[in-house]
Amino acid sequence: MAFGVKRPELEHWKEAVSRGEIAFLTHYWTDPRFPSVRTVTKVGCSDRKRLAEWCLRHGLNPAYIHEHSSYPHFDLLGPKQKEILEKEQLHDHIRRFRL
């Protein structure tokens, strides 16, 4: 279950993903499979090749890309989430969600 994201943020992410940009959306999240995880960052891009290359540059397995028809994305969780947000200089995500 997702929460803590505003509609304009979601719309901006969807638009960027649709344009083939690498886009980031962080929000609060709860899933019984991951009881210690409270946030997720969705890294999306409609250009699946570009998204797969992004994953490889960050040491992530592109096989875990969620093949959503309009908004393919990779979910970042846990320590890797913060590590990549720092590399991408998305400090506002880190501060806002206290990562």
Side-chain angles (χ1 to χ4, degrees), residues 13 17 21-27 29 34 39-48 50-68 71-82 84-85:
W13 181 82
V17 169
E21 299 172 18
I22 298 289
F24 298 83
L25 180 69
T26 301
H27 58 80
W29 180 72
F34 306 96
T39 61
V40 62
T41 298
K42 296 189 175 299
V43 183
C45 183
S46 62
D47 181 336
R48 287 163 173 80
R50 184 174 183 196
L51 183 56
E53 290 169 351
W54 181 90
C55 287
L56 292 172
R57 279 195 313 275
H58 288 282
L60 304 169
N61 186 343
Y64 293 104
I65 292 173
H66 295 267
E67 289 295 337
H68 188 286
Y71 308 106
H73 63 277
F74 188 96
D75 288 337
L76 294 174
L77 310 168
K80 198 71 169 172
Q81 176 188 21
K82 184 176 180 184
I84 291 174
L85 289 173

Side-chain angles (χ1 to χ4, degrees), residues 26 28 38-39 81-82 85 91-99:
T26 301
Y28 290 108
R38 62 182 186 86
T39 61
Q81 176 188 21
K82 184 176 180 184
L85 289 173
H91 306 291
D92 55 327
H93 291 242
I94 295 167
R95 279 189 303 272
R96 178 175 171 193
F97 295 95
R98 298 181 183 105
L99 302 176

